């Protein structure tokens, strides 16, 4: 099956909302799928990469855009 | 592999303390740490069934901000921790007895039942204990 990229627009939500939304989506995804989270919460732009490193997924990118962050995570297990 | 279990004792009815306890418990639970939450004293009122958020949460400046802005709801955070991680929530049996309540007086589908402090304390020897 082809890997997918799912997008979550969590702009306006505060910590740990974007992280929890991402984890919920990750649980429903297949290994190899990517989740792109948009978050306007600065704390989440740091917390999501910390969580990804701790539990063993891959941080593909973390970019600041116009008033929000785009964080892409790849499911590895 | 699971991390060291985290035990969270919540006794304050102050919204800010309940909220940081819920944040800590839910994020730990989704980060591969088994979490056990024990709810006692004034904290139990925030978990009463069938009340509105503005009645449920009593607090100060940060409580107002949490309710006005799009901060995640305190009880919903705990629910997410249960759904996405290893999180169990127990109501203090003594607090329920004093109120004449049972677990049925608390919000549905959140609690794993009631528990005595002795058992919670004994279980907590296996991990870290934090109190709010």
């Amino acid at each position: 099956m082809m890997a997918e990229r799912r997008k979550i627009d969590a702009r306006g939500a505060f910590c740990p909302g974007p992280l929890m939304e991402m984890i919920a989506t990750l649980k429903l995804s297949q290994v190899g799928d990517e989740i792109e989270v948009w978050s306007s919460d600065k704390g989440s732009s740091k917390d999501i990469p910390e969580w990804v490193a701790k539990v063993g997924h891959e941080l593909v990118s973390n970019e600041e855009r116009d008033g929000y962050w785009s964080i892409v995570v790849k499911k590895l297990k | 592999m699971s991390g060291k279990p985290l035990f969270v004792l919540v006794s304050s009815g102050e919204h800010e303390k309940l909220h940081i306890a819920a944040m800590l418990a839910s994020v730990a639970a989704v980060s591969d740490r088994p979490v056990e939450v024990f709810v006692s004293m004034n904290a139990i009122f925030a978990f009463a069934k069938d009340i509105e958020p503005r009645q449920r949460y009593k607090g100060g400046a940060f409580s107002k901000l949490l309710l006005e802005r799009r901060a995640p709801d305190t009880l919903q955070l705990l629910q997410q921790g249960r759904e996405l991680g290893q999180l169990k929530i127990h109501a203090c049996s003594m607090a329920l007895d004093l109120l004449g309540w049972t677990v049925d007086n608390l919000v549905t589908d959140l609690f794993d039942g009631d528990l005595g402090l002795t058992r919670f304390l004994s279980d907590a020897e296996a991990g870290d204990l934090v109190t709010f």
Side-chain angles (χ1 to χ4, degrees), chain A residues 14-72:
Chain A
F14 289 94
C15 172
L19 172 67
M20 298 305 251
E21 279 192 57
M22 188 200 73
I23 294 169
T25 304
L26 207 61
K27 287 232 170 200
L28 300 171
S29 302
Q30 305 293 319
V31 170
D33 285 355
E34 292 182 351
I35 318 293
E36 181 175 0
V37 187
W38 287 1
S39 172
S40 51
D41 176 56
K42 193 175 182 180
S44 295
S45 73
K46 294 176 182 167
D47 274 355
I48 289 174
E50 289 286 347
W51 182 85
V52 168
K54 182 173 188 313
V55 303
H57 295 296
E58 181 187 335
L59 181 70
V60 177
S61 62
N62 186 5
E63 295 169 11
E64 187 171 2
R65 295 187 180 163
D66 189 18
Y68 69 96
W69 283 263
S70 165
I71 306 154
V72 180

Side-chain angles (χ1 to χ4, degrees), chain A residues 10-17 19-21 23-24 27 51 54-55 77, chain B residues 19 23 26-27 30-33 69-72 77 80-81 83-85:
Chain A
R11 288 176 295 179
F14 289 94
C15 172
L19 172 67
M20 298 305 251
E21 279 192 57
I23 294 169
K27 287 232 170 200
W51 182 85
K54 182 173 188 313
V55 303
K77 60 182 184 178
Chain B
H19 195 80
M23 286 175 68
S26 59
V27 173
V30 297
S31 303
D32 294 339
R33 286 191 77 171
R69 310 285 292 273
R70 267 187 69 195
L77 273 176
Q80 283 178 322
E83 288 168 7
L84 303 173

Side-chain angles (χ1 to χ4, degrees), chain B residues 56-73:
Chain B
R56 187 178 299 286
Y57 303 123
K58 316 282 186 201
F62 259 90
S63 174
K64 199 174 169 192
L65 281 172
L66 289 166
L67 294 171
E68 283 175 359
R69 310 285 292 273
R70 267 187 69 195
D73 177 75

